[in-house]
Amino acid sequence: MINRRHIRVKVMQSVYALLQSKSDNLTKEENFLYNSIDKMYDLYVLLLRLLVEVRDMEEKYLEIAQKKFLATTEELNPNTKFIDNKLLELLATSVSLNDYIDTHKLNYWELDDEYVKEIWKKLKESSFFKTYLKSEQTSFQEDKEFIILFFKEIIAPNEKLADYLEDKNIGWVDDIPFVNTWIVKTLKQLNSNKPFVLGSLYKDDDDKKFVLDLFRKVVLNHTDYEKLIEDKTPNWDTDRIAKMDIILIKMAICEFLNFPSIPTRVTINEYIEIAKDYSSEKSSFFINGVLDKILKELTASKKINKIGRGLL
């Protein structure tokens, strides 16, 4: 499922796009924001399905090799350990996974199977694939560990695959690292005694509501927040401050004032970490300093009302 940090990143990107375009169609931008998050779920499903597609390609290869006129003994009696992998069978027979693919017409790997072949060849060339085939174990745990290694070593770092996915959806370039981590967590949680069922995109309704609430409140109050920032940066020309830094600070102010259940320290830490990935090298220090000043002023004026341990 998507976590709060990635929600913040998605909101940040949408706020930036809206302010740059000077659009006043809030509903359109909100729909675009939700759609970009939904598309990330498509990516998650596609990469899970890719594991099965590679297995199916190996199975077809073994079947063709068996039918060769001068097939070798090895080709006539192939090692089927990989195509019999129990974890892959869970994914292949998942009703929810297959229904999602059919409903959303995610037939990428049928149309562009050269990328399946790219991954399949890389796997066949790997030393850990050969080691796996030689192993005489037949446990679900071994199958799981192999597939996790396969994903981490072959699929996740593949640049051709990443370029292809970026061409399909430019927004996925920022989603791939998060989705890769999400998939590894999913694989680790699979159990041989339970069928695989796709989980929810959001942890709960509060997280889905958080998307829209944060976006709306930042956009509708961004001029007020900008004034607050200017007061705390008298020696800075606003035009010289990175636009992304300004947006991140505005989002943090919004959380200070409008989200009583989110501790202020959590808010500050989250936006510092996001700045490290999406803004300039020194942005995290700048943002931390400005937010510290703003938080002290808002606290002194009793404008912050946090629940429980919120101010710690």
Side-chain angles (χ1 to χ4, degrees), residues 48 51-52 87-94 97-98 187 190 196:
L48 281 174
L51 291 164
V52 178
L87 184 146
L88 292 181
E89 186 62 17
L90 279 183
L91 296 179
T93 58
S94 170
L97 184 64
N98 290 323
L187 296 175
L190 291 184
F196 173 68

Side-chain angles (χ1 to χ4, degrees), residues 114-151:
E114 65 265 32
Y115 295 95
V116 180
K117 187 175 291 185
E118 159 78 10
I119 299 300
W120 172 68
K121 286 182 177 178
K122 293 289 185 183
L123 177 64
K124 297 271 285 185
E125 294 168 357
S126 68
S127 59
F128 66 85
F129 179 72
K130 297 178 178 65
T131 300
Y132 173 69
L133 292 185
K134 290 178 182 178
S135 170
E136 296 181 358
Q137 294 185 49
T138 56
S139 69
F140 182 82
Q141 184 61 32
E142 186 203 24
D143 286 350
K144 178 193 289 192
E145 290 173 359
F146 169 73
I147 296 303
I148 291 172
L149 186 62
F150 168 29
F151 186 84

Side-chain angles (χ1 to χ4, degrees), residues 172-183:
W172 282 347
V173 68
D174 289 316
D175 296 333
I176 288 174
F178 171 78
V179 171
N180 285 343
T181 302
W182 185 6
I183 287 177

Side-chain angles (χ1 to χ4, degrees), residues 25-41:
N25 191 336
L26 197 58
T27 301
K28 177 184 175 183
E29 299 301 331
E30 288 169 355
N31 290 336
F32 179 82
L33 170 58
Y34 270 134
N35 183 65
S36 71
I37 295 175
D38 289 341
K39 285 295 182 183
M40 184 176 61
Y41 201 57

Side-chain angles (χ1 to χ4, degrees), residues 104-280:
H104 294 81
K105 298 179 172 58
L106 299 179
N107 57 344
Y108 290 38
W109 308 131
E110 293 177 26
L111 299 176
D112 301 308
D113 66 349
E114 65 265 32
Y115 295 95
V116 180
K117 187 175 291 185
E118 159 78 10
I119 299 300
W120 172 68
K121 286 182 177 178
K122 293 289 185 183
L123 177 64
K124 297 271 285 185
E125 294 168 357
S126 68
S127 59
F128 66 85
F129 179 72
K130 297 178 178 65
T131 300
Y132 173 69
L133 292 185
K134 290 178 182 178
S135 170
E136 296 181 358
Q137 294 185 49
T138 56
S139 69
F140 182 82
Q141 184 61 32
E142 186 203 24
D143 286 350
K144 178 193 289 192
E145 290 173 359
F146 169 73
I147 296 303
I148 291 172
L149 186 62
F150 168 29
F151 186 84
K152 292 168 71 173
E153 296 293 325
I154 304 294
I155 294 178
N158 191 277
E159 293 183 3
K160 288 184 180 178
L161 179 62
D163 289 343
Y164 166 74
L165 293 170
E166 185 179 345
D167 286 342
K168 287 295 181 182
N169 187 320
I170 187 64
W172 282 347
V173 68
D174 289 316
D175 296 333
I176 288 174
F178 171 78
V179 171
N180 285 343
T181 302
W182 185 6
I183 287 177
V184 171
K185 288 181 180 178
T186 297
L187 296 175
K188 288 180 178 179
Q189 293 169 356
L190 291 184
N191 189 308
S192 61
N193 299 319
K194 296 180 181 179
F196 173 68
V197 179
L198 279 174
S200 301
L201 175 57
Y202 298 95
K203 183 180 72 173
D204 49 35
D205 290 339
D206 285 345
D207 270 12
K208 186 170 184 179
K209 187 173 181 291
F210 178 66
V211 176
L212 208 56
D213 284 350
L214 182 59
F215 178 72
R216 283 180 177 174
K217 286 178 169 62
V218 171
V219 170
L220 295 176
N221 297 286
H222 81 94
T223 52
D224 293 335
Y225 298 158
E226 193 157 304
K227 176 61 178 173
L228 196 56
I229 295 169
E230 289 175 355
D231 290 344
K232 300 298 171 294
T233 55
N235 297 323
W236 287 80
D237 181 345
T238 305
D239 292 337
R240 289 177 54 212
I241 303 175
K243 288 183 173 62
M244 201 62 76
D245 291 0
I246 294 290
I247 290 172
L248 292 174
I249 294 171
K250 288 178 180 178
M251 290 174 67
I253 295 170
C254 182
E255 288 191 25
F256 288 164
L257 297 173
N258 299 288
F259 295 87
S261 65
I262 302 176
T264 54
R265 179 46 55 188
V266 169
T267 292
I268 292 174
N269 288 341
E270 285 289 285
Y271 288 107
I272 287 174
E273 291 304 312
I274 292 171
K276 291 177 182 177
D277 290 331
Y278 292 92
S279 199
S280 62

Side-chain angles (χ1 to χ4, degrees), residues 58 62 74 77-84 130 132-135:
E58 171 71 358
L62 294 180
E74 184 179 355
N77 300 281
N79 187 327
T80 62
K81 187 177 177 71
F82 175 56
I83 61 177
D84 294 334
K130 297 178 178 65
Y132 173 69
L133 292 185
K134 290 178 182 178
S135 170

